[in-house]
Amino acid sequence: MPTKNLHIPTQDGQADAFAAYPSDGERHPGVLLYTDAFGIRPELENKARELAEHGYYVLVPNLYYRHRPAPVLDLPEYIGEDLRPGFIAEVMPLVQAHTTDRILRDAEAYLGFLTAQPEVSAGPSGVVGYCIGAALALRTASAHPGQVAAVAGFHPGFLVTDAQDSPHRLAHRLTAEVHIGLAVNDMTPETITDLTKAFDAAGVEHTIEIYPGTIHGFTMSDTAAFNPSALERHWDRLLPLLTRTLTSGT
């Protein structure tokens, strides 16, 4: 499985990134993968590799490149429940500094870079996000409806807020098919209803599913939140979505 460490030119500098893609020498659809709050690390690189094995060029940018190259946090191999609060406190200022303006500037750069890679085929891209990355995925797809055909967000945060530019208020701009995979307590019944109504009103093809027996972070095997059966469910939802939207007719 070929991989690369890359630098993506942005309006604010150079974003370091990781990419994985098939070894067959052919061109494949591109997928932009937004990390969880803890950022690029072996866990996310492995997810990119696994997704690439199914026939995609997967680009994983460092969300916090303005601060420092990845890894941004000095994380252990396993993030136990006792360690999680400390790392959340450390990374939260970076999350808060990652404003909507920054997100949108970066999204344009990331998609432009992804589609320009020689290993990437013509056609729309998919965007996948974990944790905070799910909101970034929705913002990216709503800002670039002609380029993004699939969005998947897992154990998301900040999809429904009181802000005027809350991701759910941008649903009318989406043309992508969307899957949202929730941990049991990720969203309240009220916010799930708000998100569903927003998608329905906009005519967005979507699924919103609560993965049984899960807590926030269930896809991440390097954390105490990991749930193996939910990770498999995540692949069972993600791979058909990408096949339907990115590879049909190719």
Side-chain angles (χ1 to χ4, degrees):
M1 175 63 57
T3 63
K4 292 180 180 179
N5 292 302
L6 302 166
H7 287 86
I8 304 170
T10 76
Q11 293 185 41
D12 299 325
Q14 297 272 329
D16 52 304
F18 176 85
Y21 51 95
S23 59
D24 57 9
E26 301 295 322
R27 301 173 72 195
H28 295 274
V31 175
L32 176 61
L33 192 158
Y34 285 119
T35 69
D36 62 1
F38 293 148
I40 296 177
R41 58 192 190 280
E43 174 72 15
L44 274 299
E45 293 174 354
N46 289 337
K47 279 189 170 43
R49 289 187 181 94
E50 185 163 354
L51 183 52
E53 288 176 356
H54 293 274
Y56 301 98
Y57 182 107
V58 186
L59 180 66
V60 189
N62 173 19
L63 305 182
Y64 312 124
Y65 70 88
R66 295 173 181 85
H67 183 66
R68 66 166 65 109
V72 175
L73 301 178
D74 185 17
L75 296 169
E77 291 185 6
Y78 180 77
I79 306 166
E81 199 56 44
D82 58 328
L83 298 176
R84 182 181 177 85
F87 288 118
I88 290 292
E90 184 178 352
V91 79
M92 194 52 62
L94 302 182
V95 173
Q96 293 169 343
H98 203 52
T99 62
T100 299
D101 285 345
R102 285 185 173 185
I103 291 167
L104 295 179
R105 291 201 303 272
D106 288 348
E108 182 175 8
Y110 297 158
L111 282 177
F113 184 89
L114 175 63
T115 56
Q117 296 311 294
E119 301 89 356
V120 175
S121 57
S125 301
V127 188
V128 180
Y130 300 90
C131 181
I132 62 167
L136 274 58
L138 277 179
R139 290 194 185 280
T140 298
S142 62
H144 301 276
Q147 293 179 259
V148 178
V151 174
F154 299 96
H155 41 86
F158 309 111
L159 298 188
V160 177
T161 73
D162 292 333
Q164 285 300 310
D165 65 346
S166 171
H168 80 290
R169 301 186 198 279
L170 307 174
H172 63 284
R173 302 179 186 174
L174 290 169
T175 58
E177 183 179 343
V178 178
H179 174 73
I180 303 296
L182 298 170
V184 171
N185 293 318
D186 273 338
M187 296 175 66
T188 66
E190 292 78 16
T191 55
I192 293 173
T193 296
D194 288 344
L195 184 60
T196 301
K197 286 181 176 179
F199 285 154
D200 286 343
V204 174
E205 187 172 354
H206 70 279
T207 54
I208 301 173
E209 182 178 359
I210 298 173
Y211 289 25
T214 55
I215 61 175
H216 184 78
F218 59 78
T219 65
M220 300 297 165
S221 67
D222 63 345
T223 76
F226 180 54
N227 183 309
S229 63
L231 175 64
E232 286 308 307
R233 184 184 293 255
H234 137 283
W235 289 120
D236 289 345
R237 302 299 185 266
L238 175 59
L239 295 174
L241 169 65
L242 297 179
T243 298
R244 285 193 302 273
T245 56
L246 303 187
T247 68
S248 296
T250 61

